[in-house]
Amino acid sequence: MNNIIKIEGLDCANCARELEEELKKLSGVASATVDFMAQKVIVDCEEQTLEKVKYACNHFEEVRVVEEGAEPRNKERIYGEKIKIENLCCANCGRELEEELNKIDGVQAVVDFMNMRVILNAQTPDARERAIYTISHFEDVKIVDGREKKSIFREHKKDIICLICSVFLFIPALVLDLTGIAWGSLAPRVCTYCLYGAAYLAAGHPVLVNTVKNLARGRIFDENFLMTIASIGAIILGIFTHEGFFEGVAVMLLYQLGELLQSIAVGASRSSITGLMDLKSDTATVIADGEYRTVSPEELQTGDKILIKAGEKVPVDCRILKGETSLDLKSLNGEPLPKSAGVGDEILSGGINLTGAIEAEVIREYADSAVAKILELVENSTAKKSKPEKFISKFARYYTPAVCVAALIVAFAVPSIIYWAAPAHAWVELFREWVYNALTFLVISCPCALVISVPLSYFSGIGRCARFGILVKGSTCLDELALATVAAFDKTGTITEGSFKVVKYTSEKALHLAAAAEKYSSHPIAAAFKDIPTDISAENAEELAGRGVKCTVNGEVLLCGNAKLLSGGGITFPEIESVSTLVYVALNGAYVGVIEIDDGIKEGIREAVSALKSGGVTYTEMLTGDSRSRAEAVAREAGLDGCVAELLPDKKLARAGELKKLGKLIYVGDGINDAPVMTCADCAVSMGKVGSDAAIEASDIVLVSDNISLIPKGRKIAKGTRRIVVQNIVGSLFVKFGLMICDIILASLIACGIAVSPFPLIVSVVADVGVMLLAVLNAMRASLIK
């Protein structure tokens, strides 16, 4: 059973990898994924193992479990008003505030620490005032405007203050050091040491504390350990050679500056995704007994009547009962032009009512609405890891210990071999040089650029897709979309509109018998008969997949479906050729007639197929159970390379398997009738069924609207994201291994007596921080792909 645990205090992607490895070692844990970007743990385990997982999280560095993923939805169904707060310093304080609020008569409250808000239900105005007073007088907590966004300084206040203090201490120490005043007498020297020491502790105390804690827990090989060894080693070498603290303090200062800049960049990327939360409306207006009442969307039930004013967001999926308006749906499907809607039209939650007030009926509760599905998919999108992410995770597991061993060899084994015959008095200086080279080697080796940039690239790409209404279930799905070279499409509801209508029939009797039988069918074709009146009553209906409906009328067997249904029943009938879909009718073994049903092709299909081909898809095909003549006509109109018609579900699955031999397969369907094929495909795309659980379960990618042109758009984003991932992996490894080789070459030249300077430690830090920042900034480009 998958459980989602919200956490805080996970400060880097490499730590996330290490926590994930520890959780996987726990008995009873089938699988575990630590999502650094979303600050959560997704673990497959039973309830009794969950407490062990939480304990492991709470005892990993500064990580704390703050909220379980299942709680907010359930609690928000109960509580209404949401009050944004700030300065709530920790999850434990949030728990204490919640206890204080729930002690007030007439108040129920939940404190959501992750989103910095209080979800409040006060029964009376007096109870609400007391609750507001309690919130605003709890420690340093303040109530803020829900639209207010924290500035970068407020978000990283502690880190920024520590770095500023460190810089102000470091600069005078550096001036004293460079001018030589510090070495003239004891007092200036002590003063310089004190300033350097204070600057080092101001910037590096979090790193030192984490290193000590990790060592106590048996965790050695992480970036905290590397930076601690490198900086302290540089300080010790500086003291022994009377060269000062400069490099040791500069190493820590620049490293922490890089970490701060990385946090700001990652936070900006995360904010671009969490901005999707703006899709959700905070309130809804219910119309009951002629009165208007404001509630939260979670309180709405199917059948409720609601008022949506101009400028308001649509709170849940509903159907318009009264009024006409224009809707801004660009947050759902990326389309800039408003969409007109009137009585009888279904509208999805998350859209904005632009013009007139409308009254509507709720057709799906909030938990099953489009906006809830979107937010849930985006929140869980980083759970499925792609091959590059898995590679980096495995690479980092062995890479860091390997470079630590290599550094030890550089520091001690190499000079011992080279200088075994050197005079004893020269050994100290020789070892000092090689230890310095080893420290440089350690600084260069930090894997942060790789570990953070790869998941951040996918995170940005998935968020960019979501902005256009393309909901990707994970980085694996994004990769498969980028690499696919074959595309197959269902016909009904995908290539065609799926809105059938009767265009021709041979007899009234056949038409009315078909209307009686098709009311039991779930196939889209059955909708063509829904408005045809009939007094015929059918019983014992059985839907035969890929054929039609079998039932009884007054004790006689009625068959209504395609030619295969009648042929299988041994009935003789005239097969006709038509580009329309044909529904044959037979009663009690005798042919009655045939009805022709037509379904128009969707607008923009030909352009979308052409865009896929120009983007690298080499072959496109339509798979359908419809007649060959109709299928070929639709395929030609859509610009597809081929089609296979008259397929039963098992034959369609077999054809999909054959197409996979040509390359990775994208299959586009409705996500319900095509579930087996979608499971077989490398990348399954569901069209316009965001409200359907079946669609979301069966597909890898869900399109909020039925706009097929979103598929080439999503593929372009996927290819751009993958290109950025490869750039970061190759670029980071090239720079790091290049610097390591330079370090070894310079050390070897010195060993041969050639007068060259060793690779400066400070340059290594600048290079490491620079590579990390460039990789992060490059990763963020995925959120700008058009």
Side-chain angles (χ1 to χ4, degrees):
M1 181 176 67
N2 276 334
N3 300 278
I4 299 175
I5 304 171
K6 286 285 188 181
I7 57 176
E8 65 164 355
L10 191 61
D11 57 2
C12 75
N14 195 43
C15 296
R17 176 192 62 79
E18 292 173 356
L19 175 57
E20 185 174 297
E21 291 297 322
E22 289 199 8
L23 295 179
K24 287 178 180 177
K25 294 176 184 177
L26 296 176
S27 60
V29 173
S31 65
T33 299
V34 178
D35 187 344
F36 167 63
M37 297 301 302
Q39 293 283 298
K40 66 183 177 183
V41 176
I42 304 167
V43 59
D44 184 4
C45 67
E46 297 300 326
E47 190 68 31
Q48 59 267 29
T49 310
L50 194 57
E51 289 303 316
K52 291 198 298 183
V53 174
K54 291 180 182 178
Y55 180 86
C57 292
N58 279 323
H59 289 78
F60 183 87
E61 294 189 353
E62 302 299 326
V63 174
R64 291 289 178 270
V65 174
V66 292
E67 178 186 4
E68 292 190 37
E71 289 181 350
R73 175 181 289 185
N74 296 333
K75 291 182 177 180
E76 288 183 20
R77 281 180 175 273
I78 301 172
Y79 307 123
E81 183 181 5
K82 297 173 182 63
I83 302 170
K84 292 292 291 182
I85 58 175
E86 66 176 7
N87 297 339
L88 187 62
C89 61
C90 69
N92 190 51
C93 295
R95 178 187 58 79
E96 293 174 358
L97 174 57
E98 183 174 305
E99 290 176 357
E100 290 294 322
L101 290 170
N102 286 318
K103 289 177 183 177
I104 302 172
D105 291 338
V107 169
Q108 290 178 300
V110 172
V111 177
D112 183 352
F113 174 71
M114 287 300 294
N115 293 309
M116 282 293 168
R117 63 180 180 177
V118 176
I119 306 166
L120 181 69
N121 183 5
Q123 296 178 3
T124 64
D126 180 61
R128 184 183 181 280
E129 286 183 13
R130 292 173 62 193
I132 295 295
Y133 180 87
T134 300
I135 294 169
S136 59
H137 287 76
F138 182 86
E139 296 184 356
D140 295 325
V141 173
K142 293 181 181 179
I143 296 175
V144 296
D145 186 343
R147 295 167 297 181
E148 182 180 342
K149 293 184 179 180
K150 279 192 175 183
S151 64
I152 292 176
F153 177 77
R154 286 173 58 192
E155 187 75 25
H156 304 279
K157 183 178 178 181
K158 182 179 177 182
D159 295 331
I160 291 173
I161 290 174
C162 287
L163 281 174
I164 290 174
C165 291
S166 180
V167 169
F168 274 105
L169 292 166
F170 179 74
I171 290 175
L174 182 60
V175 171
L176 288 171
D177 207 353
L178 294 177
T179 57
I181 297 173
W183 311 111
S185 62
L186 181 60
R189 184 182 304 177
V190 172
C191 180
T192 303
Y193 279 156
C194 290
L195 287 171
Y196 272 142
Y200 180 82
L201 292 174
H205 69 276
V207 176
L208 299 175
V209 170
N210 285 333
T211 299
V212 172
K213 287 182 177 179
N214 291 342
L215 288 173
R217 295 166 185 160
R219 294 179 58 247
I220 300 175
F221 301 113
D222 66 353
E223 76 283 353
N224 290 312
F225 175 77
L226 296 181
M227 295 313 301
T228 298
I229 294 298
S231 59
I232 292 178
I235 289 172
I236 293 172
L237 289 178
I239 292 174
F240 278 111
T241 58
H242 303 291
E243 293 179 2
F245 283 24
F246 167 70
E247 282 197 311
V249 180
V251 163
M252 186 60 74
L253 184 56
L254 287 172
Y255 171 73
Q256 288 293 73
L257 176 61
E259 289 291 299
L260 174 62
L261 294 174
Q262 172 193 290
S263 296
I264 292 171
V266 172
S269 180
R270 187 182 288 137
S271 295
S272 70
I273 307 303
T274 55
L276 288 168
M277 294 295 181
D278 291 339
L279 287 171
K280 183 183 175 183
S281 173
D282 290 329
T283 60
T285 303
V286 177
I287 306 173
D289 301 324
E291 296 183 353
Y292 298 92
R293 183 166 55 93
T294 300
V295 298
S296 67
E298 290 85 354
E299 295 180 61
L300 294 173
Q301 297 180 354
T302 304
D304 282 351
K305 187 177 179 182
I306 61 174
L307 173 68
I308 308 172
K309 301 174 185 176
E312 290 184 343
K313 293 173 189 168
V314 180
V316 292
D317 298 352
C318 52
R319 183 177 292 106
I320 298 177
L321 300 175
K322 182 179 178 182
E324 294 183 352
T325 189
S326 293
L327 296 168
D328 179 356
L329 300 176
K330 64 175 175 285
S331 295
L332 292 172
N333 58 21
E335 292 294 330
L337 295 178
K339 178 182 178 181
S340 298
V343 175
D345 289 337
E346 180 179 328
I347 55 177
L348 296 178
S349 53
I352 300 174
N353 182 18
L354 293 177
T355 52
I358 56 174
E359 293 181 8
E361 179 187 10
V362 176
I363 59 174
R364 279 186 287 272
E365 294 184 11
Y366 174 78
D368 300 316
S369 67
V371 69
K373 298 293 185 184
I374 291 171
L375 298 180
E376 184 177 355
L377 279 175
V378 172
E379 182 182 351
N380 295 326
S381 62
T382 48
K384 290 185 177 181
K385 292 188 176 182
S386 63
K387 287 183 179 179
E389 282 185 282
K390 291 176 181 177
F391 162 74
I392 290 301
S393 181
K394 186 176 290 187
F395 176 82
R397 188 189 315 164
Y398 300 108
Y399 168 78
T400 307
V403 295
C404 287
V405 172
L408 287 174
I409 293 172
V410 170
F412 300 105
V414 173
S416 296
I417 295 170
I418 295 176
Y419 300 119
W420 66 272
H425 64 80
W427 284 4
V428 173
E429 179 60 26
L430 295 174
F431 273 105
R432 188 198 72 80
E433 291 177 358
W434 283 92
V435 167
Y436 185 88
N437 291 328
L439 295 178
T440 303
F441 198 84
L442 281 179
V443 172
I444 296 170
S445 68
C446 281
C448 295
L450 285 169
V451 178
I452 182 61
S453 65
V454 172
L456 180 58
S457 300
Y458 283 114
F459 189 75
S460 299
I462 289 169
R464 185 61 176 169
C465 285
R467 291 289 175 184
F468 292 98
I470 308 162
L471 307 181
V472 184
K473 294 175 75 172
S475 54
T476 300
C477 308
L478 203 67
D479 258 3
E480 297 292 354
L481 180 61
L483 297 171
T485 56
V486 180
F489 301 84
D490 181 34
K491 180 179 77 71
T492 304
T494 303
I495 298 293
T496 62
E497 291 286 355
S499 301
F500 292 94
K501 58 182 179 180
V502 175
V503 294
K504 189 177 180 181
Y505 50 92
T506 55
S507 70
E508 290 283 345
K509 183 179 180 182
L511 180 64
H512 287 92
L513 283 171
E518 292 291 348
K519 71 179 181 180
Y520 294 104
S521 174
S522 61
H523 196 282
I525 287 178
F529 298 93
K530 67 179 181 180
D531 295 326
I532 297 175
T534 180
D535 55 2
I536 299 174
S537 178
E539 299 175 335
N540 304 317
E542 179 184 359
E543 189 163 8
L544 305 174
R547 289 183 171 86
V549 179
K550 178 182 179 182
C551 56
T552 58
V553 174
N554 297 325
E556 298 180 323
V557 176
L558 171 63
L559 298 178
C560 181
N562 58 23
K564 290 180 181 178
L565 180 63
L566 270 64
S567 298
I571 298 169
T572 302
F573 64 98
E575 284 198 62
I576 64 173
E577 290 294 327
S578 174
V579 296
S580 298
T581 299
L582 300 174
V583 177
Y584 294 93
V585 181
L587 182 64
N588 203 30
Y591 172 72
V592 178
V594 63
I595 300 104
E596 296 186 37
I597 297 172
D598 217 340
D599 177 23
I601 193 169
K602 285 183 180 178
E603 184 179 353
I605 290 294
R606 192 175 188 89
E607 292 77 6
V609 172
S610 177
L612 279 174
K613 290 179 179 180
S614 63
V617 173
T618 57
Y619 182 73
T620 57
E621 185 172 279
M622 184 174 71
L623 308 180
T624 179
D626 209 345
S627 66
R628 187 177 306 278
S629 57
R630 172 61 177 160
E632 288 175 349
V634 170
R636 280 195 302 271
E637 192 175 352
L640 297 171
D641 296 320
C643 71
V644 181
E646 300 176 352
L647 291 174
L648 295 175
D650 58 332
K651 298 295 184 183
K652 186 181 282 192
L653 180 61
R655 179 56 184 166
E658 293 173 9
L659 289 175
K660 288 182 69 175
K661 296 176 182 178
L662 303 177
K664 285 189 176 291
L665 173 66
I666 304 171
Y667 183 79
V668 188
D670 61 14
I672 301 174
N673 299 324
D674 295 310
V677 186
M678 286 188 154
T679 303
C680 170
D682 297 290
C683 180
V685 181
S686 177
M687 295 288 295
K689 299 287 185 180
V690 74
S692 167
D693 285 328
I696 292 175
E697 288 299 323
S699 57
D700 301 305
I701 296 173
V702 180
L703 305 183
V704 176
S705 66
D706 60 355
N707 184 1
I708 204 169
S709 66
L710 292 175
I711 298 174
K713 167 73 75 175
R715 193 163 185 274
K716 182 180 179 182
I717 295 171
K719 291 178 73 175
T721 300
R722 184 172 174 82
R723 186 164 55 249
I724 289 170
V725 168
V726 173
Q727 288 171 356
N728 280 338
I729 292 175
V730 174
S732 298
L733 290 178
F734 178 80
V735 172
K736 286 187 175 292
F737 284 128
L739 290 174
M740 288 180 191
I741 292 170
C742 287
D743 182 38
I744 294 172
I745 290 173
L746 288 175
S748 302
L749 290 174
I750 294 171
C752 295
I754 300 173
V756 293
S757 299
F759 202 90
L761 187 60
I762 195 68
V763 172
S764 302
V765 178
V766 172
D768 176 64
V769 171
V771 170
M772 178 178 65
L773 290 178
L774 285 175
V776 168
L777 292 173
N778 193 38
M780 292 176 67
R781 288 197 304 115
S783 64
L784 303 175
I785 299 172
K786 296 182 179 180

